[in-house]
Amino acid sequence: MNVKISTQYTPVVDCIRSVYKTDSFIPLHEPRFLGNEKKYLNECIDSTFVSSVGKFVDEFEEKIASYTGAKYAVATSNGTSALHISLLLANVEQNDEVITQPLTFIATCNAISYCNAKPIFIDVDKDTMGMSPVALEIFLKENAEVKNQQCVNKSTGKIIKACIPMHTFGHPCRIEEIQKICKEWHIVLVEDSAESLGSFYRGQHTGTFGELGVISFNGNKIITSGGGGCILTNDEDLAKKAKHITTTAKEPHKWEYTHDMVGYNYRMPNLNAALIVAQLEQLDGFLKSKRSLAKIYKNFFQNGDIHFVTDPENAKSNYWLNSIVLKSKDQRDLFLDETNSQGIMTRPIWALMNKLPMFEKAQCGDLTNSEWLEERVVNIPSSVIL
């Protein structure tokens, strides 16, 4: 039992406790295993096919492609590996540049670094917390030119090969507008949809606007395979190459081990796929619960000085992590201290990527919105309500 402490944000604590009906510690987001998880795991174990070959891997790829509307899906060991392979498929090479947003999880920039490429940071929109198409277009017009069907950075002379917008906390960014800009500037669009399974922009699932899209199934996502991810694409050749590269680039043969390029051991194990197949069966119910929770939070915060983040225009969000925006950094820090002290897990948004030592020399556009949000955004408990 937590000792009752009266603070400025006790009403928020009381609201969250009333939702989850407990006086114990409430985590930010925990998985729910309410269906066939144990049944499918036991079936997988009994089959002895627990690594990257097995019926659950194939079933998962078919079902996630069908759900998102993508023609092809390739299961991977995690979302970061999916991003890495997607950039390789986009032909991102050493000394190339990749545009992304500074307000993102580190995995986005790590994947760029794995290719020995450099990030360029573009501002986000306040309402989506995802890449701003206006900021993207301004940066390109001021800093880039198209030469020989390639986008060239006028200040560095390097090729801007790809663009990775991220759908922050499951809220779709203005991806259709970004798609058009990337096409005009000959930049490969790779969607970081790690957090946005079940989110749609203008009726189309996130992760299907770019040449490639990525989803994560980490333990804190809406549905989980423990660790896992996938690559989405509508290009058959890219899908085949993705599956080949993630399976150590081994050429098919009954017994010989022949590899035709540098590959990666990035395939999702069948054991993890068994878990995610069971979770997929519950996705619609989880999404319904999350939207119900978001409605409770929206009603609670509507008359105060804390702003609750809701679906952006033309979008339907999965509300993976519910987010609030406070008035200032001081107010944010007080909120974090008081809620966590009372057994309610809350956390701030990520530190901006351009402030980390690995990326502090990266080229940046005007990051006014990103800096404003970094000081004010907090995530509050978002687990599916039982």
Side-chain angles (χ1 to χ4, degrees):
M1 293 284 289
N2 289 292
V3 177
K4 182 77 172 182
I5 305 172
S6 181
T7 67
Q8 179 176 339
Y9 295 111
T10 293
V12 178
V13 171
D14 291 342
C15 171
I16 294 170
R17 291 205 176 282
S18 69
V19 168
Y20 288 102
K21 297 180 173 60
T22 180
D23 290 328
S24 301
F25 172 76
I26 299 176
L28 191 67
H29 194 288
E30 60 182 351
R32 303 296 194 201
F33 304 114
L34 309 174
N36 289 314
E37 288 88 352
K38 291 181 180 179
K39 176 184 175 182
Y40 294 167
L41 285 169
N42 284 331
E43 185 178 332
C44 179
I45 292 168
D46 291 342
S47 76
T48 74
F49 285 90
V50 295
S51 293
S52 58
V53 175
K55 78 162 197 173
F56 287 109
V57 178
D58 298 333
E59 184 177 348
F60 164 68
E61 289 178 334
E62 292 173 3
K63 287 186 174 180
I64 198 67
S66 175
Y67 179 84
T68 60
K71 289 184 179 178
Y72 307 98
V74 178
T76 62
S77 55
N78 51 59
T80 306
S81 61
L83 275 171
H84 181 200
I85 294 301
S86 294
L87 290 174
L88 293 179
L89 294 171
N91 295 315
V92 174
E93 301 173 328
Q94 184 172 355
N95 294 322
D96 285 341
E97 295 176 336
V98 178
I99 291 176
T100 190
Q101 57 198 64
L103 201 70
T104 186
F105 181 57
I106 188 66
T108 312
C109 293
N110 280 345
I112 296 170
S113 299
Y114 297 163
C115 300
N116 294 308
K118 302 294 182 183
I120 296 173
F121 295 113
I122 300 298
D123 207 5
V124 300
D125 287 324
K126 281 186 178 180
D127 59 339
T128 69
M129 298 180 287
M131 184 179 291
S132 165
V134 173
L136 174 62
E137 190 160 40
I138 289 173
F139 177 87
L140 290 171
K141 286 181 176 179
E142 293 179 351
N143 297 280
E145 58 185 345
V146 175
K147 290 184 177 180
N148 300 320
Q149 303 297 300
Q150 291 183 315
C151 184
V152 179
N153 189 327
K154 291 189 289 188
S155 63
T156 65
K158 296 178 180 179
I159 298 171
I160 301 175
K161 190 69 67 72
C163 176
I164 311 179
M166 202 267 282
H167 303 292
T168 307
F169 305 136
H171 296 292
C173 64
R174 292 179 170 82
I175 190 63
E176 192 173 69
E177 291 87 333
I178 293 171
Q179 178 191 45
K180 293 176 182 177
I181 294 169
C182 288
K183 184 176 181 180
E184 177 185 351
W185 286 86
H186 299 274
I187 298 171
V188 180
L189 177 58
V190 177
E191 276 181 84
D192 187 343
S193 308
E195 304 171 354
S196 61
L197 177 63
S199 296
F200 296 81
Y201 187 74
R202 298 186 188 273
Q204 183 174 335
H205 197 284
T206 55
T208 63
F209 289 84
E211 285 89 332
L212 298 144
V214 169
I215 300 177
S216 170
F217 303 102
N218 188 39
N220 65 348
K221 297 302 188 291
I222 288 184
I223 60 172
T224 181
S225 51
C230 74
I231 299 169
L232 302 176
T233 184
N234 291 323
D235 188 306
E236 183 178 5
D237 291 336
L238 287 179
K240 288 180 178 178
K241 191 173 182 180
K243 188 169 289 189
H244 185 59
I245 297 174
T246 55
T247 318
T248 68
K250 181 182 181 297
E251 294 184 331
H253 195 277
K254 287 184 178 180
W255 61 82
E256 289 185 353
Y257 285 87
T258 305
H259 306 261
D260 59 3
M261 62 186 297
V262 174
Y264 300 85
N265 188 16
Y266 278 177
R267 286 286 277 168
M268 178 187 287
N270 197 41
L271 200 61
N272 296 85
L275 187 62
I276 197 65
V277 167
Q279 289 267 284
L280 264 173
E281 294 173 350
Q282 303 163 78
L283 178 57
D284 288 343
F286 287 176
L287 289 168
K288 183 177 179 181
S289 173
K290 281 187 162 291
R291 293 193 69 83
S292 295
L293 175 60
K295 185 176 181 180
I296 293 171
Y297 282 150
K298 179 182 178 182
N299 291 336
F300 176 80
F301 287 111
Q302 66 182 352
N303 296 319
D305 61 354
I306 297 175
H307 171 68
F308 179 72
V309 180
T310 57
D311 305 83
E313 186 180 8
N314 300 314
K316 183 176 181 179
S317 303
N318 66 4
Y319 287 99
W320 168 55
L321 283 187
N322 289 293
S323 305
I324 57 174
V325 184
L326 292 105
K327 293 294 185 181
S328 66
K329 184 178 183 300
D330 287 342
Q331 189 182 30
R332 181 206 71 173
D333 291 345
L334 178 62
F335 183 92
L336 289 167
D337 180 60
E338 290 189 0
T339 51
N340 282 283
S341 295
Q342 296 191 60
I344 304 293
M345 185 177 179
T346 59
R347 75 173 191 195
I349 206 166
W350 313 282
L352 297 186
M353 295 296 104
N354 61 296
K355 294 182 179 180
L356 302 181
M358 309 84 77
F359 308 117
E360 60 186 4
K361 295 182 180 179
Q363 186 176 5
C364 300
D366 178 2
L367 303 181
T368 299
N369 289 343
S370 300
E371 291 167 351
W372 188 90
L373 289 165
E374 180 194 26
E375 292 186 346
R376 293 167 173 82
V377 173
V378 170
N379 296 130
I380 57 177
S382 303
S383 304
V384 167
I385 304 170
L386 293 176

